[in-house]
Amino acid sequence: MPHTTNKRISKELARLLYLGRLQAQGVRPALDPTDRGQLAFQALLFECLMSNREHKHALEEPRKSAMAGLSDYLNAICHQPHHLEIHTNTASRVASRLLPFLHEDHGVCGIPGLRLINFTCRRVRLIHGPTGGRLDLVDAQRWQGKDIARMVFRQETSWHEQDGRSPLWRQTGITDEEAAHEACWAYTTSTPLRSALLMRSMPLWYRLGLDPAWTTGHATRPDRLIWDARSDTDHDQVVELLTRSEARIPGARYHEKTRCSGTLALGTGKAQLISTL
């Protein structure tokens, strides 16, 4: 029976992706956007979140790990019709680490072009100007009044105003320093794959206990998603999640090279999956 099947699938997706009650039961939820700009933004966000101390993203803070540790604060990542929702323990703190910051001796850190739309007692709403991609950070608890929410947001983002600086994310347009990073959000053959991996990141971090890092390829080496192998996590469990489970990436193909490596492909986009011992 279709209704029973869809309900079972929805329940399994909720279990795999930590969606809990966020997904309506009885229908198969859409996991991925189709809007080109949203895909490009989510692909960039995936790269920023998939970094660690050994493999820092180029937009990471030079003296600390601002984006690399954000997965510790996340509870769910889910697709909505017109935006991405990330449910978190502290929306303002996550926003403070994603919003762009200009280091005089380092350049732009955070996501260039990301801007604050507004915030409510429970949400911080963000937009990526160059792509039009939308992100709502949703707090686990509702603050008792917008004044309290505003105070919390100001506390978490106060470091953006150190030394009397004007926060980069308060600029109405894209600054020259941010525009210099245009390649970061350019739509490429790997954009749909990176966005799809973002939507399936929660089980990589929590269910499989991994600390993955994305490394961008070059002319002689493809993109890579690398993680340290754990004794209780087999490489095939990652492949199972991404290509065979109910949360699989539609159309994704995996070609095994060794027991701990292979190529994940979606359309013409490819990336090596490598678990190192």
Side-chain angles (χ1 to χ4, degrees):
M1 297 177 65
H3 177 75
T4 302
T5 301
N6 285 340
K7 189 172 183 179
R8 177 189 61 78
I9 292 172
S10 183
K11 185 176 181 179
E12 177 64 6
L13 283 173
R15 184 189 72 82
L16 286 172
L17 302 180
Y18 295 86
L19 299 179
R21 298 179 180 179
L22 302 178
Q23 289 289 174
Q25 297 294 310
V27 295
R28 185 180 186 119
L31 299 185
D32 302 289
T34 57
D35 178 78
R36 191 177 176 94
Q38 187 70 33
L39 284 167
F41 167 62
Q42 291 185 187
L44 171 57
L45 179 60
F46 167 75
E47 287 191 40
C48 292
L49 294 179
M50 285 292 167
S51 63
N52 54 40
R53 295 182 185 276
E54 289 72 32
H55 301 279
K56 283 190 174 183
H57 192 274
L59 293 172
E60 184 61 277
E61 289 280 317
R63 290 179 289 275
K64 60 182 179 180
S65 298
M67 294 186 294
L70 280 180
S71 60
D72 293 340
Y73 297 105
L74 308 187
N75 299 324
I77 300 175
C78 57
H79 168 70
Q80 297 296 347
H82 303 293
H83 65 275
L84 174 70
E85 267 189 10
I86 294 184
H87 291 248
T88 171
N89 295 330
T90 169
S92 292
R93 181 167 300 173
V94 173
S96 77
R97 298 188 182 191
L98 292 178
L99 287 166
F101 179 80
L102 182 61
H103 281 269
E104 292 181 355
D105 58 346
H106 183 78
V108 177
C109 299
I111 298 180
L114 193 63
R115 298 292 186 264
L116 173 70
I117 298 176
N118 57 39
F119 52 83
T120 68
C121 294
R122 196 175 178 193
R123 290 175 181 258
V124 177
R125 295 189 171 102
L126 305 170
I127 186 169
H128 186 243
T131 62
R134 281 282 314 277
L135 170 62
D136 277 18
L137 300 170
V138 186
D139 255 317
Q141 65 176 355
R142 182 184 301 274
W143 298 108
Q144 298 301 310
K146 194 169 182 179
D147 287 342
I148 296 178
R150 182 181 294 107
M151 178 188 68
V152 172
F153 182 82
R154 286 177 175 173
Q155 287 176 342
E156 293 290 354
T157 59
S158 61
W159 61 276
H160 285 257
E161 302 182 65
Q162 66 185 24
D163 302 324
R165 300 184 186 190
S166 176
L168 196 58
W169 44 269
R170 285 188 183 159
Q171 299 289 328
T172 54
I174 305 302
T175 66
D176 291 342
E177 292 88 353
E178 292 174 293
H181 294 276
E182 182 179 5
C184 291
W185 60 78
Y187 195 99
T188 70
T189 57
S190 74
T191 294
L193 177 58
R194 284 178 285 141
S195 177
L197 287 169
L198 172 72
M199 304 310 296
R200 294 152 182 85
S201 294
M202 289 297 295
L204 295 179
W205 289 318
Y206 291 100
R207 189 169 302 284
L208 301 181
L210 305 178
D211 186 22
W214 177 269
T215 61
T216 303
H218 47 68
T220 59
R221 194 198 73 192
D223 296 335
R224 294 178 173 182
L225 186 63
I226 305 171
W227 64 91
D228 291 331
R230 306 288 183 90
S231 59
D232 57 346
T233 300
D234 187 78
H235 187 89
D236 190 62
Q237 289 179 271
V238 177
V239 178
E240 168 75 21
L241 170 73
L242 299 177
T243 64
R244 300 191 294 270
S245 73
E246 292 295 355
R248 64 188 176 274
I249 301 171
R253 311 172 305 281
Y254 183 73
H255 303 284
E256 183 179 80
K257 182 178 181 181
T258 70
R259 186 174 60 85
C260 298
S261 68
T263 300
L264 180 68
L266 180 63
T268 57
K270 297 180 180 180
Q272 288 184 335
L273 303 184
I274 302 175
S275 52
T276 59
L277 297 175

